[in-house]
Amino acid sequence: MTPPMTCVTRPASPATDMFSRILTSGLIAGAATGLIAALLQLWFVQPVLLHAELYESGQLAHFGAEAVSAHQDLGPFEWTRNMLSVLFTMMVYAGYGLMLVALMALSEAQGNAVTARQGLLWGLAGYLTMQLAPAFGLAPEVPGVAAADVQLRAIWWLGTAAATGLALWLVAFGKGWAAWGVAIVLILAPHVIGAPQPDSYAGPVPPELSAEFAGRALGAGAMAWALLGLLAGWFWQRESQRAPVPQAA
Amino acid sequence: MTAKPMTAAGASRASVLFPAIAAFAIGFGLIFMSGLVQAETLHDAAHDVRHATGFPCH
């Protein structure tokens, strides 16, 4: 005689369950933040970018015979272009969200509680890692500025993000001066080595626009990362509370 | 060797590591694809986002 079925769905293994919880929290927090980040960028960053493109394309010339008005008609709203930007911003932030929640899960398994409030700190650390530290060497570029080879910059960018992220983990969870010493070296090393720089300055875009663009890009990034951290922490805490508590053997 | 009783944290640590690495890798893949791959179509579609997010673009 077969015993009566008491459970309709087969319980998932702890690892599968954990994977789906990380995926759910990370993707939802990331996509929601991505949408807000995209709106912030379209509102505050995109006009500066479009303005700079007028100089990149040669429609306007900086230091020509006459002074150029700082107020230009930037054309109508480009739906295809801007919707692609919304889509890709959501993808980028979904990626950030997954990485952030994966690390939150690892840290929680080591006994560190993660809440929305803690999440704010995680978001700040993510911002330092993925935006501010790389920007210290390679400021967010407006189109049409002079820059070194893109592959070299990508390698330096990735190396800086990896080193800074690892360093911040060591600052937060390392115990003692050995860990903190390594963290200091990791934070400084990419900038002591130095980011790849162009051989000459040949950008046609006015420095005022470049500076405004860098400030706007970093500012919008800071807002978005704060939100991402909050949301990721909140969703993760909510998922953790729903999960069965692992039983001590 | 003395048998160590498995703690709650220990039990969950083992079941967290691989899912976390997998999710981290997927997240990195998304960022790499939207932010850094230089293939022309991808570059053109993600152009504004790459500039606005501070990725090296071109």
Side-chain angles (χ1 to χ4, degrees):
Chain A
M1 205 178 102
T2 51
M5 286 279 270
T6 50
C7 180
V8 183
T9 51
R10 207 155 49 92
S13 78
T16 321
D17 182 57
M18 175 59 68
F19 183 62
S20 72
R21 286 198 290 130
I22 295 175
L23 221 56
T24 315
S25 310
L27 285 178
I28 296 177
T33 307
L35 188 62
I36 307 281
L39 294 178
L40 285 172
Q41 288 177 354
L42 284 179
W43 190 264
F44 293 110
V45 187
Q46 189 71 4
V48 189
L49 186 145
L50 292 174
H51 197 162
E53 280 186 347
L54 296 177
Y55 288 92
E56 187 192 23
S57 65
Q59 271 177 267
L60 297 178
H62 186 222
F63 287 158
E66 294 169 27
V68 183
S69 164
H71 307 281
Q72 296 289 334
D73 179 15
L74 301 175
F77 190 82
E78 296 174 71
W79 281 97
T80 312
R81 176 179 183 170
N82 291 333
M83 287 308 113
L84 275 171
S85 293
V86 172
L87 183 74
F88 275 97
T89 309
M90 288 175 77
M91 270 173 63
V92 168
Y93 276 88
Y96 290 154
L98 281 178
M99 292 171 86
L100 199 62
V101 175
L103 293 173
M104 283 177 171
L106 277 180
S107 135
E108 196 175 65
Q110 293 183 329
N112 306 301
V114 177
T115 61
R117 210 190 260 191
Q118 292 279 319
L120 202 54
L121 286 175
W122 281 86
L124 181 63
Y127 172 69
L128 293 176
T129 300
M130 302 299 284
Q131 294 216 312
L132 198 60
F136 193 76
L138 297 171
E141 296 162 14
V142 80
V145 299
D149 177 62
V150 68
Q151 297 235 332
L152 290 178
R153 280 183 293 138
I155 292 167
W156 185 87
W157 192 99
L158 279 173
T160 302
T164 308
L166 186 57
L168 291 179
W169 180 280
L170 288 173
V171 168
F173 303 116
K175 292 178 178 68
W177 275 102
W180 297 329
V182 173
I184 292 170
V185 171
L186 281 173
I187 285 177
L188 291 178
H191 309 293
V192 172
I193 295 168
Q197 298 296 335
D199 292 327
S200 59
Y201 296 125
V205 177
E208 292 88 339
L209 278 179
S210 281
E212 187 182 14
F213 185 84
R216 289 274 169 107
L218 285 174
M223 293 183 223
W225 268 102
L227 181 66
L228 178 65
L230 264 175
L231 287 181
W234 188 78
F235 277 113
W236 179 249
Q237 185 186 27
R238 200 166 142 268
E239 286 287 331
S240 302
Q241 283 166 352
R242 265 190 359 197
V245 178
Q247 296 297 313
Chain B
M1 211 175 115
T2 50
K4 222 164 118 186
M6 208 179 204
T7 60
S12 63
R13 202 174 301 166
S15 58
V16 164
L17 190 61
F18 291 109
I21 291 172
F24 190 89
I26 296 172
F28 180 77
L30 277 173
I31 293 161
F32 192 77
M33 197 175 67
S34 5
L36 295 165
V37 172
Q38 283 297 315
E40 200 177 324
T41 328
L42 213 49
H43 169 275
D44 292 351
H47 173 268
D48 296 355
V49 177
R50 289 180 180 195
H51 278 284
T53 317
F55 292 103
C57 192
H58 42 71

